[in-house]
Amino acid sequence: DAGVTQSPTHLIKTRGQQVTLRCSPKSGHDTVSWYQQALGQGPQFIFQYYEEEERQRGNFPDRFSGHQFPNYSSELNVNALLLGDSALYLCASSLLGGSTQYFGPGTRLLVL
Amino acid sequence: EDQVTQSPEALRLQEGESSSLNCSYTVSGLRGLFWYRQDPGKGPEFLFTLYSAGEEKEKERLKATLTKKESFLHITAPKPEDSATYLCAVQAETGNMLTFGGGTRLMVKP
């Protein structure tokens, strides 16, 4: 049973560029959440997608946007990258009615 | 606003030396409290979900407990392979997002 997968594993971008990160949820899950984890800190909630719609959003600017596809996979897009966007980006999947979220290995983004 | 505070920030133990990690929380109606283990550079690995005060869950050398204001993760006779960062998170009844604490970095020396 495949768990949550994310791609790419690492990414280097320069300020002002745009980036797209991808996530495939655990088999049978229909809900995808995205988190940002700065070095030495706990993850911070960005947003959650269910039925291809954004259901809940954390305290992140509009530069952060997402999408969910009919097969439940998801993308996180970040525009106009800032140095402060450097972090580990985590995707978590769950069932909408369930509470436990299972995380993928993350994408390490470095903005220079 | 939901808040989670974990203590200590870092903990060094000798192999076999039992201890506890603390997670204090405030949330507007608790749906669940979660413990995760995170190894460096990897995603959090799910350990436990606790739903109501008085509940306890165990897995190998780990035992999680929950009160109305805090949760403890007890580690009995730890081994070096238990070294990791342990994250605590809460989920409110009103939403699905997880609010995380800063984590406790555990180092177990042989």
Side-chain angles (χ1 to χ4, degrees):
Chain A
D1 176 26
V4 180
T5 60
Q6 292 186 244
S7 64
T9 55
H10 295 84
L11 208 49
I12 300 175
K13 292 285 187 179
T14 56
R15 279 180 300 172
Q17 284 189 313
Q18 178 263 344
V19 69
T20 297
L21 311 181
R22 295 175 176 83
C23 170
S24 290
K26 186 177 166 68
S27 178
H29 284 182
D30 54 13
T31 302
V32 173
S33 303
W34 287 92
Y35 293 81
Q36 180 195 66
Q37 186 176 27
L39 205 58
Q41 298 182 21
Q44 284 199 300
F45 176 75
I46 303 175
F47 42 53
Q48 183 180 80
Y49 276 83
Y50 171 71
E51 288 191 334
E52 302 179 49
E53 286 189 13
E54 183 182 294
R55 295 288 170 156
Q56 194 174 4
R57 189 178 184 94
N59 241 1
F60 280 80
D62 292 344
R63 298 187 297 109
F64 290 76
S65 64
H67 188 77
Q68 186 180 35
F69 299 94
N71 67 352
Y72 308 118
S73 67
S74 176
E75 286 181 350
L76 164 66
N77 300 293
V78 187
N79 293 323
L81 284 167
L82 303 174
L83 295 180
D85 294 332
S86 296
L88 181 68
Y89 287 86
L90 296 163
C91 169
S93 76
S94 60
L95 289 170
L96 185 67
S99 57
T100 302
Q101 296 182 17
Y102 296 87
F103 284 83
T107 294
R108 172 72 64 187
L109 172 65
L110 178 61
V111 182
L112 300 175
Chain B
E1 185 179 321
D2 304 336
Q3 283 194 318
V4 178
T5 303
Q6 292 187 245
S7 62
E9 289 185 5
L11 181 62
R12 291 175 184 259
L13 298 174
Q14 286 297 128
E15 184 172 1
E17 179 186 1
S18 301
S19 188
S20 295
L21 282 55
N22 177 263
C23 171
S24 297
Y25 66 91
T26 55
V27 63
S28 51
L30 180 69
R31 184 179 179 196
L33 183 140
F34 304 83
W35 283 98
Y36 290 88
R37 169 194 169 126
Q38 186 174 30
D39 292 306
K42 299 192 175 180
E45 174 190 345
F46 170 71
L47 294 174
F48 304 109
T49 307
L50 301 167
Y51 295 104
S52 57
E55 190 175 359
E56 298 182 353
K57 294 233 175 122
E58 285 189 67
K59 179 181 178 179
E60 295 181 358
R61 295 177 292 281
L62 300 176
K63 178 180 176 180
T65 62
L66 181 65
T67 73
K68 288 187 178 179
K69 292 184 178 182
E70 56 191 352
S71 176
F72 292 93
L73 184 65
H74 308 277
I75 303 177
T76 302
K79 298 182 177 182
E81 53 261 41
D82 294 323
S83 298
T85 295
Y86 290 85
L87 295 166
C88 171
V90 296
Q91 187 178 59
E93 288 175 340
T94 52
N96 293 309
M97 63 177 279
L98 296 178
T99 300
F100 281 87
T104 293
R105 189 160 60 95
L106 174 66
M107 292 154 283
V108 182
K109 302 224 168 180

Coordinates of all heavy atoms in Angstrom, one line a residue, chain B residues 64-109:
Chain B
A64 N 1.3 7.5 25.4 CA 0.8 8.8 25.4 C -0.4 8.9 26.2 O -1.3 8.0 26.2 CB 0.4 9.2 23.9
T65 N -0.5 10.0 27.0 CA -1.7 10.3 27.9 C -2.2 11.7 27.6 O -1.5 12.5 27.1 CB -1.3 10.2 29.3 OG1 -0.3 11.1 29.7 CG2 -0.7 8.8 29.6
L66 N -3.5 11.9 28.0 CA -4.1 13.2 27.7 C -5.0 13.6 28.9 O -5.7 12.8 29.5 CB -5.1 13.0 26.5 CG -5.8 14.2 26.0 CD1 -4.9 15.3 25.5 CD2 -6.8 13.9 24.9
T67 N -4.8 14.9 29.2 CA -5.7 15.6 30.2 C -6.4 16.7 29.4 O -6.2 16.9 28.2 CB -4.9 16.2 31.4 OG1 -4.2 17.3 31.0 CG2 -4.0 15.1 32.0
K68 N -7.2 17.5 30.1 CA -7.9 18.6 29.5 C -7.0 19.8 29.0 O -7.4 20.6 28.2 CB -9.0 19.1 30.4 CG -10.2 18.2 30.5 CD -11.3 18.7 31.3 CE -12.5 17.8 31.3 NZ -13.6 18.3 32.1
K69 N -5.7 19.8 29.5 CA -4.9 20.9 29.2 C -3.5 20.5 28.6 O -2.8 21.3 28.1 CB -4.6 21.8 30.5 CG -5.8 22.5 31.0 CD -5.4 23.4 32.2 CE -6.6 24.2 32.6 NZ -6.3 25.1 33.8
E70 N -3.2 19.2 28.8 CA -1.9 18.8 28.3 C -1.8 17.3 28.0 O -2.7 16.5 28.4 CB -0.8 19.1 29.3 CG -1.0 18.6 30.7 CD 0.0 19.2 31.7 OE1 0.9 19.9 31.3 OE2 -0.2 18.9 32.9
S71 N -0.8 16.9 27.3 CA -0.5 15.5 26.9 C 0.9 15.2 27.3 O 1.8 16.1 27.2 CB -0.8 15.3 25.5 OG -0.5 13.9 25.1
F72 N 1.2 14.0 27.7 CA 2.5 13.6 27.9 C 2.9 12.4 27.0 O 2.0 11.5 26.8 CB 2.7 13.1 29.4 CG 2.6 14.3 30.4 CD1 1.3 14.6 30.9 CD2 3.7 15.0 30.7 CE1 1.2 15.6 31.8 CE2 3.6 16.1 31.6 CZ 2.3 16.4 32.1
L73 N 4.1 12.4 26.6 CA 4.6 11.2 25.8 C 5.7 10.6 26.7 O 6.8 11.2 26.9 CB 5.2 11.6 24.5 CG 5.7 10.5 23.6 CD1 4.5 9.6 23.2 CD2 6.4 11.0 22.3
H74 N 5.4 9.5 27.3 CA 6.3 8.8 28.2 C 7.2 7.8 27.4 O 6.7 7.0 26.6 CB 5.6 8.0 29.3 CG 4.6 8.9 30.0 ND1 4.9 9.7 31.1 CD2 3.2 9.0 29.9 CE1 3.8 10.3 31.5 NE2 2.8 9.9 30.8
I75 N 8.5 7.9 27.6 CA 9.4 7.0 26.9 C 10.1 6.1 28.0 O 10.8 6.6 28.8 CB 10.5 7.8 26.1 CG1 9.7 8.7 25.1 CG2 11.4 6.8 25.4 CD1 10.7 9.5 24.3
T76 N 9.8 4.8 27.9 CA 10.4 3.9 28.9 C 11.6 3.2 28.3 O 11.5 2.6 27.2 CB 9.3 2.8 29.3 OG1 8.2 3.5 29.8 CG2 9.8 1.9 30.3
A77 N 12.7 3.2 29.1 CA 13.9 2.5 28.7 C 14.3 2.8 27.2 O 14.4 1.9 26.4 CB 13.8 1.0 29.0
P78 N 14.5 4.1 26.9 CA 14.7 4.4 25.5 C 16.0 3.8 24.9 O 17.0 3.6 25.7 CB 14.8 6.0 25.5 CG 15.2 6.3 26.9 CD 14.6 5.3 27.7
K79 N 16.0 3.7 23.6 CA 17.2 3.2 22.9 C 17.7 4.3 21.9 O 16.9 5.2 21.6 CB 16.9 1.9 22.1 CG 16.4 0.7 23.0 CD 16.1 -0.5 22.1 CE 15.7 -1.7 23.0 NZ 15.5 -2.9 22.2
P80 N 18.9 4.2 21.5 CA 19.4 5.2 20.5 C 18.5 5.4 19.3 O 18.4 6.6 18.8 CB 20.8 4.7 20.1 CG 21.3 3.9 21.3 CD 20.0 3.3 21.9
E81 N 17.9 4.4 18.9 CA 17.0 4.5 17.7 C 15.7 5.3 18.0 O 15.0 5.7 17.0 CB 16.7 3.2 17.1 CG 16.1 2.2 18.1 CD 17.1 1.2 18.6 OE1 18.3 1.6 18.9 OE2 16.8 0.0 18.7
D82 N 15.5 5.6 19.2 CA 14.4 6.5 19.6 C 14.7 8.0 19.4 O 13.8 8.9 19.5 CB 13.9 6.3 21.0 CG 13.3 4.9 21.2 OD1 12.6 4.4 20.3 OD2 13.6 4.3 22.3
S83 N 16.0 8.3 19.1 CA 16.4 9.7 18.9 C 15.7 10.2 17.7 O 15.7 9.7 16.6 CB 17.9 9.7 18.6 OG 18.6 9.3 19.8
A84 N 15.0 11.4 17.8 CA 14.2 12.0 16.8 C 13.6 13.3 17.4 O 13.7 13.5 18.6 CB 13.1 11.1 16.3
T85 N 12.9 14.0 16.6 CA 12.1 15.1 17.1 C 10.6 14.6 17.2 O 10.1 14.0 16.3 CB 12.1 16.3 16.2 OG1 13.4 16.9 16.1 CG2 11.2 17.4 16.6
Y86 N 10.0 14.9 18.4 CA 8.6 14.4 18.6 C 7.7 15.7 18.6 O 8.0 16.6 19.3 CB 8.5 13.7 19.9 CG 9.2 12.3 19.9 CD1 10.6 12.2 20.1 CD2 8.5 11.2 19.5 CE1 11.2 11.0 20.0 CE2 9.2 10.0 19.4 CZ 10.5 9.9 19.6 OH 11.2 8.7 19.5
L87 N 6.7 15.6 17.7 CA 5.8 16.7 17.4 C 4.5 16.4 18.0 O 4.0 15.3 17.9 CB 5.7 17.0 15.9 CG 6.9 17.5 15.2 CD1 6.7 17.3 13.7 CD2 7.3 18.9 15.6
C88 N 3.8 17.4 18.6 CA 2.5 17.3 19.1 C 1.6 18.3 18.3 O 2.1 19.4 18.0 CB 2.5 17.7 20.6 SG 0.9 17.9 21.4
A89 N 0.4 17.9 18.0 CA -0.5 18.7 17.2 C -1.9 18.6 17.7 O -2.3 17.5 18.2 CB -0.4 18.4 15.8
V90 N -2.7 19.6 17.6 CA -4.1 19.5 18.0 C -5.0 19.9 16.8 O -4.6 20.6 15.9 CB -4.5 20.5 19.2 CG1 -3.8 20.1 20.4 CG2 -4.3 21.9 18.8
Q91 N -6.2 19.3 16.8 CA -7.2 19.6 15.7 C -8.5 20.0 16.4 O -8.9 19.3 17.3 CB -7.4 18.3 14.9 CG -8.3 18.5 13.7 CD -8.4 17.2 12.9 OE1 -8.8 16.2 13.5 NE2 -8.0 17.2 11.7
A92 N -9.0 21.1 16.0 CA -10.2 21.6 16.7 C -11.4 21.0 16.0 O -11.4 20.5 14.9 CB -10.3 23.2 16.5
E93 N -12.5 21.1 16.8 CA -13.8 20.5 16.3 C -14.3 21.3 15.1 O -15.0 20.7 14.2 CB -14.9 20.6 17.4 CG -14.7 19.6 18.5 CD -15.7 19.9 19.6 OE1 -16.3 20.9 19.7 OE2 -15.9 18.9 20.4
T94 N -13.9 22.5 14.9 CA -14.4 23.4 13.9 C -13.7 23.3 12.6 O -14.1 23.9 11.6 CB -14.4 24.9 14.3 OG1 -13.0 25.1 14.8 CG2 -15.3 25.1 15.5
G95 N -12.6 22.5 12.5 CA -11.9 22.5 11.2 C -11.0 21.2 11.2 O -11.1 20.3 12.0
N96 N -10.3 21.1 10.1 CA -9.4 19.9 9.9 C -7.9 20.2 10.0 O -7.2 19.2 10.0 CB -9.7 19.3 8.5 CG -11.1 18.8 8.4 OD1 -11.5 18.0 9.2 ND2 -11.9 19.2 7.4
M97 N -7.6 21.4 10.1 CA -6.1 21.7 10.2 C -5.5 21.3 11.5 O -6.2 21.2 12.5 CB -5.9 23.3 10.0 CG -6.5 24.1 11.1 SD -6.1 25.8 10.9 CE -4.4 25.9 11.6
L98 N -4.2 20.9 11.4 CA -3.4 20.6 12.6 C -2.6 21.8 13.0 O -2.0 22.5 12.1 CB -2.5 19.4 12.3 CG -3.2 18.1 11.9 CD1 -2.1 17.1 11.7 CD2 -4.1 17.6 13.1
T99 N -2.6 22.1 14.3 CA -1.8 23.2 14.9 C -0.7 22.5 15.6 O -1.0 21.8 16.6 CB -2.6 24.1 15.8 OG1 -3.6 24.7 15.0 CG2 -1.7 25.2 16.4
F100 N 0.5 22.7 15.2 CA 1.7 22.0 15.8 C 2.4 22.8 16.9 O 2.4 24.1 16.8 CB 2.7 21.6 14.7 CG 2.3 20.4 13.9 CD1 1.5 20.6 12.8 CD2 2.8 19.2 14.2 CE1 1.2 19.5 12.0 CE2 2.5 18.1 13.5 CZ 1.7 18.2 12.4
G101 N 3.0 22.1 17.8 CA 4.0 22.8 18.7 C 5.4 22.8 18.0 O 5.5 22.3 16.9
G102 N 6.4 23.3 18.7 CA 7.7 23.4 18.1 C 8.5 22.1 18.1 O 9.5 22.1 17.5
G103 N 8.0 21.1 18.9 CA 8.7 19.9 18.9 C 9.7 19.7 20.0 O 10.2 20.7 20.6
T104 N 10.0 18.5 20.4 CA 11.0 18.2 21.4 C 12.1 17.3 20.7 O 11.7 16.3 20.2 CB 10.5 17.5 22.6 OG1 9.7 18.3 23.4 CG2 11.7 17.0 23.5
R105 N 13.3 17.8 20.7 CA 14.4 17.0 20.0 C 15.0 16.1 21.1 O 15.6 16.5 22.0 CB 15.4 17.9 19.4 CG 16.4 17.2 18.6 CD 17.1 18.3 17.7 NE 17.8 19.3 18.4 CZ 19.1 19.3 18.8 NH1 19.8 18.3 18.4 NH2 19.6 20.3 19.5
L106 N 14.8 14.8 20.9 CA 15.3 13.8 21.8 C 16.5 13.1 21.3 O 16.6 12.7 20.1 CB 14.2 12.7 22.0 CG 14.6 11.5 22.9 CD1 14.8 12.0 24.3 CD2 13.5 10.4 22.8
M107 N 17.5 13.1 22.2 CA 18.8 12.4 21.8 C 19.1 11.4 22.9 O 19.1 11.7 24.1 CB 19.9 13.4 21.8 CG 19.8 14.4 20.6 SD 20.7 15.9 20.9 CE 19.5 16.7 22.0
V108 N 19.2 10.1 22.5 CA 19.4 9.0 23.4 C 20.8 8.5 23.1 O 21.1 8.0 22.0 CB 18.4 7.9 23.2 CG1 18.7 6.8 24.2 CG2 17.0 8.4 23.4
K109 N 21.7 8.5 24.1 CA 23.1 8.1 23.9 C 23.3 6.7 24.5 O 22.7 6.4 25.5 CB 24.0 9.1 24.7 CG 23.9 10.5 24.2 CD 25.2 11.1 24.0 CE 25.1 12.5 23.3 NZ 26.4 13.1 23.1

